[in-house]
Amino acid sequence: MTSAPSTPNSAPSADTPEPDVYPPNPAFAAAANAQPSLYDDAARDRLAFWETQAERLHWHEKWSDVLDWSGAPVAKWFVGGKLNVAYNCVDRHVLEGNGERVAIEFEGEPGDTRTLTYNDLLAEVSRAANAFTDLGLVAGDRVAVYMPMIPEAIVTMLACARLGLTHSVVFGGFSAGALRSRIDDAEAKLVVTVDGQWRRGKPAPLKSAVDEAVDGAESVENVLVVRRTGIDVEWTEGRDLCWHDTVDPASPEHTAQPFDSEHPLFILYTSGTTGKPKGIVHTTGGYLTQVSYTHHNVFDYKPDDVYWCTADIGWVTGHSYIVYGPLSNGVTQVVYEGTPNSPDEHRHFQIIEKYGVSIYYTAPTMVRTFMKWGRAIPDAHDLSSIRLLGSVGEPINPEAWRWYRDVIGGGTAPIVDTWWQTETGAIMISPLPGVTTTKPGSAMAPLPGISAKIVDDDGKDVGNGGSGYLVLDEPWPSMLRGIWGDMDRYRDTYWSRYAEQGWYFAGDGAKFDEDGALWVMGRVDDVMNVSGHRISTAEVESALVGHSGVAEAAVVGATDDTTGQGIVAFVILRQGVENTGDPLIAELRSQVSTDISPIAKPREIHIVPELPKTRSGKIMRRLLRDVAEGRELGDTSTLVDPGVFEAIRKA
Ligand code: WTA
């Protein structure tokens, strides 16, 4: 077992290999929000521990029971409790005398800025809530949000939460078709969007995609449009409303009503193993409890910190660690609209320097991109305000971890590698800064209050040194409550694999090392992880076969130095269709882009004469992955025609 030096004096000499463990700095540990006793408290009485965490929030009415698991796998947390999420994220801070505190430092891509205090945020959210009410929306209705990272997006989400409207945020990079299917599935009545969004210095239309998406969509009554870029948009009278004429003149006074702890807060669509995205449903009391608790302890947030999570609100990280977790804790945070290299690669570091960002939370793919750009770029800036770094979305490779700490974290900032999912709602596995001795690349251990196991096919613990499937063997407050409109799929996807034991199957492979540190290895299903975005192989395959020239397609995720995985497609053309090479491949890539999103565009498309199949007709993706990664082929004995690879390799 490697042991860590406890003081700088016991640091290894030049000829002993440096132990690759990072114990907490004593000064950091002494001041940390999280203390080792958290683990003891949770171990002593898990449910009582969660009750204590729930007391972080303001409850209009207290719960009677902490957990009702009798309807498993659908949990009820803080049964009978009543609260208002927006009140907790905004009003409470104003009432406590912190109305002048900055909530959001907004940095637009073109360089425009806006500062919103908690007073401002309360007025904006109240106006939006009054306007939404005037549109006839009532608690339980669904609202689709299709917006870039601007304050109005956050205001919209909070106004929905305030009124008990269930929001469904759709990432602004998704196509009109993807937006339409999400609007239809949730039967959204209102769509909130912008005229256009800034992308690399240019306005890109967004409202036009909404026009296409809502054409004939029965549920949609109104489209509310924020003017962001000033570009011309088509206007449908009676349906389309301008935010500035609708929300701006509304009253800034609004009294928040309490909702049941299990009232649905949002639906967020994520890729599964079939072509149809799953609408993950989250509710109110348990969700807010866990995002608030984790944000406080994992990010060690203190009142004089400036926090920046670089995610987009279109993903769960934006929901939980830009909107609900941080705002419930009254943070001051940076919200940046644009891409990291606009106008150049210095942008993130300029922002860190300008606002004095002290807590920075991003994805490993971003860190690897910075590495590729070179350390001269961050080194040109004063990043000394950084005191804690976070990572999320995919496993972080040890090399990127060390670079992140050395170059961005000044060689001292602790890194929290946080494992969680859209489905888990909040962080589940992560070091606690100031408590945990970390290892580069390991998410270390379940947080206090969370229980996880790594098991084999039969559900047996793999033990230290073993690898297997990651399962969550106890319910947790921010767990999903189902898949919107498809509870059978919910049971089947997450709860059927270990039905006997009643465990949640996460779909990730993981291992414990010899010291018991937990390493997440990546997906074990047909879901790819590209730059931290979950994309299913089936979705991309169905987009490809949607092209008239394609007979069949097989898609795999192949290791990629920057994006984690890259999408590699193998395509068989229909009889008589000519393979024109590059023009055809460009057409296929753009087909995927318009059908799903540019983020789902394959890195490579190979036109092949045949696909490797088993006798039962199943495509052997494992072998295609070998081909895509340039490896020796694995076992080909079950193939109908092992010669097929000759042909694929030549293609
Ligand atoms: C992966 C993002 C390793 C994992 C919050 C998971 C990670 C999927 C980590 C969920 C991490 C996320 N280490 N893998 N720290 N964080 N993942 O729903 O495969 O977009 O199942 O949620 O991302 O992705 P999702």
Side-chain angles (χ1 to χ4, degrees):
M1 188 176 140
T2 17
S3 66
S6 52
T7 65
N9 295 340
S10 60
S13 64
D15 44 14
T16 46
E18 208 174 320
D20 207 12
V21 295
Y22 296 76
N25 161 305
F28 190 108
N33 287 349
Q35 294 298 323
S37 57
L38 268 187
Y39 290 103
D40 306 329
D41 295 346
R44 200 173 311 113
D45 185 342
R46 216 173 66 84
L47 295 182
F49 173 83
W50 282 118
E51 292 197 274
T52 307
Q53 303 315 319
E55 277 154 18
R56 303 178 55 79
L57 307 176
H58 174 86
W59 294 80
H60 281 75
E61 260 174 59
K62 208 178 154 169
W63 57 91
S64 53
D65 290 303
V66 53
L67 169 67
D68 176 358
W69 192 224
S70 62
V74 182
K76 287 189 180 141
W77 278 87
F78 308 109
V79 184
K82 290 196 170 28
L83 76 169
N84 186 292
V85 168
Y87 179 94
N88 272 285
C89 291
V90 188
D91 306 44
R92 190 162 56 118
H93 309 309
V94 172
L95 294 170
E96 286 168 3
N98 295 315
E100 290 300 316
R101 183 189 293 167
V102 173
I104 294 171
E105 292 282 15
F106 170 68
E107 172 94 8
E109 198 193 70
D112 57 323
T113 60
R114 253 173 93 187
T115 299
L116 278 93
T117 63
Y118 278 93
N119 282 332
D120 298 333
L121 196 58
L122 178 57
E124 290 293 311
V125 172
S126 299
R127 283 192 183 97
N130 285 320
F132 292 180
T133 304
D134 288 346
L135 292 178
L137 295 168
V138 294
D141 286 346
R142 273 83 58 203
V143 174
V145 181
Y146 186 61
M147 299 173 88
M149 290 293 296
I150 57 173
E152 287 84 352
I154 297 171
V155 168
T156 298
M157 291 165 76
L158 290 167
C160 287
R162 191 174 190 90
L163 297 172
L165 307 173
T166 301
H167 59 67
S168 160
V169 182
V170 180
F171 174 56
F174 275 127
S175 65
L179 173 62
R180 171 61 178 267
S181 64
R182 286 157 175 77
I183 288 173
D184 282 349
D185 189 68
E187 297 172 286
K189 282 193 175 169
L190 174 69
V191 183
V192 187
T193 190
V194 292
D195 53 354
Q197 57 181 338
W198 290 106
R199 274 296 169 262
R200 298 201 161 81
K202 293 200 199 77
L206 210 61
K207 164 77 163 52
S208 54
V210 176
D211 290 336
E212 194 186 327
V214 303
D215 185 31
E218 274 171 26
S219 61
V220 176
E221 292 170 3
N222 291 109
V223 174
L224 184 59
V225 187
V226 177
R227 200 184 321 108
R228 173 61 186 138
T229 57
I231 57 172
D232 283 340
V233 292
E234 305 238 334
W235 207 254
T236 302
E237 286 305 330
R239 184 197 72 191
D240 295 351
L241 299 163
C242 171
W243 175 283
H244 312 281
D245 302 335
T246 311
V247 177
D248 289 353
S251 162
E253 310 274 332
H254 181 271
T255 307
Q257 303 299 320
F259 291 97
D260 189 86
S261 180
E262 286 300 334
H263 188 81
L265 178 61
F266 66 84
I267 305 170
L268 184 57
Y269 289 85
T270 187
S271 291
T273 51
T274 70
K276 189 176 184 294
K278 304 175 280 194
I280 303 299
V281 177
H282 282 286
T283 61
T284 305
Y287 172 80
L288 198 63
T289 296
Q290 194 173 331
V291 294
S292 182
Y293 152 74
T294 49
H295 178 266
H296 177 79
N297 289 293
V298 175
F299 297 108
D300 192 48
Y301 183 81
K302 306 266 171 43
D304 48 3
D305 276 310
V306 178
Y307 170 85
W308 183 17
C309 165
T310 71
D312 188 285
I313 46 139
W315 311 115
V316 75
T317 306
H319 285 59
S320 300
Y321 296 104
I322 293 176
V323 183
Y324 297 113
L327 295 176
S328 72
N329 290 331
V331 301
T332 296
Q333 71 177 319
V334 171
V335 171
Y336 172 51
E337 178 184 31
T339 44
N341 53 355
S342 183
D344 61 33
E345 290 82 4
H346 288 267
R347 194 65 187 266
H348 272 214
F349 309 110
Q350 275 161 348
I351 292 174
I352 291 173
E353 200 170 15
K354 174 174 173 187
Y355 295 101
V357 170
S358 54
I359 301 170
Y360 179 76
Y361 188 30
T362 197
T365 185
M366 190 73 256
V367 177
R368 289 192 296 266
T369 301
F370 291 151
M371 288 170 77
K372 218 163 57 182
W373 290 345
R375 71 172 291 163
I377 293 172
D379 282 351
H381 300 273
D382 177 7
L383 306 181
S384 60
S385 56
I386 294 280
R387 66 175 197 91
L388 186 134
L389 297 168
S391 171
V392 63
E394 51 171 322
I396 181 165
N397 48 311
E399 191 196 356
W401 194 104
R402 288 186 213 101
W403 191 94
Y404 195 24
R405 178 173 163 115
D406 287 345
V407 178
I408 314 297
T412 55
I415 295 179
V416 288
D417 174 5
T418 62
W419 178 88
W420 58 295
Q421 307 178 302
T422 305
E423 292 86 342
T424 70
I427 299 170
M428 304 291 284
I429 301 175
S430 166
L432 279 179
V435 179
T436 312
T437 292
T438 50
K439 295 184 174 190
S442 168
M444 298 309 297
L447 288 176
I450 300 300
S451 185
K453 282 171 174 288
I454 303 174
V455 297
D456 66 13
D457 275 320
D458 302 326
K460 277 209 272 313
D461 278 312
V462 296
N464 286 3
S467 58
Y469 302 113
L470 181 61
V471 297
L472 302 167
D473 59 321
E474 294 284 355
W476 63 101
S478 65
M479 68 193 297
L480 74 169
R481 302 302 198 261
I483 293 176
W484 183 261
D486 199 347
M487 292 309 271
D488 288 341
R489 190 176 179 194
Y490 170 60
R491 288 193 178 84
D492 189 50
T493 309
Y494 305 105
W495 303 93
S496 64
R497 184 81 167 242
Y498 295 103
E500 220 172 281
Q501 297 91 338
W503 297 337
Y504 170 89
F505 175 68
D508 278 314
K511 67 171 188 192
F512 286 121
D513 68 15
E514 297 304 331
D515 304 327
L518 194 155
W519 298 70
V520 179
M521 321 285 290
R523 304 290 308 180
V524 293
D525 53 12
D526 290 329
V527 176
M528 300 172 287
N529 190 329
V530 182
S531 297
H533 302 318
R534 277 165 70 169
I535 300 164
S536 85
T537 53
E539 246 176 308
V540 180
E541 285 165 2
S542 96
L544 287 168
V545 296
H547 185 280
S548 60
V550 175
E552 222 182 328
V555 166
V556 296
T559 307
D560 186 286
D561 283 349
T562 307
T563 60
Q565 282 191 314
I567 303 177
V568 179
F570 297 87
V571 166
I572 304 179
L573 298 182
R574 279 179 199 277
Q575 203 89 51
V577 174
E578 193 196 347
N579 179 0
T580 58
D582 289 348
L584 175 63
I585 287 174
E587 230 177 84
L588 293 176
R589 295 183 82 231
S590 90
Q591 167 95 13
V592 177
S593 179
T594 42
D595 226 54
I596 309 172
S597 161
I599 59 173
K601 256 197 248 179
R603 183 185 78 187
E604 293 165 37
I605 298 181
H606 302 281
I607 313 275
V608 294
E610 266 179 280
L611 291 170
K613 287 193 184 152
T614 61
R615 279 167 237 282
S616 61
K618 210 167 132 38
I619 294 172
M620 300 211 46
R621 286 213 177 69
R622 178 173 55 79
L623 294 178
L624 286 174
R625 218 170 291 130
D626 288 341
V627 174
E629 295 178 349
R631 264 195 309 273
E632 284 291 303
L633 286 188
D635 180 12
T636 57
S637 59
T638 52
L639 279 182
V640 179
D641 173 14
V644 66
F645 283 99
E646 246 359 73
I648 291 179
R649 283 231 164 89
K650 273 201 218 111

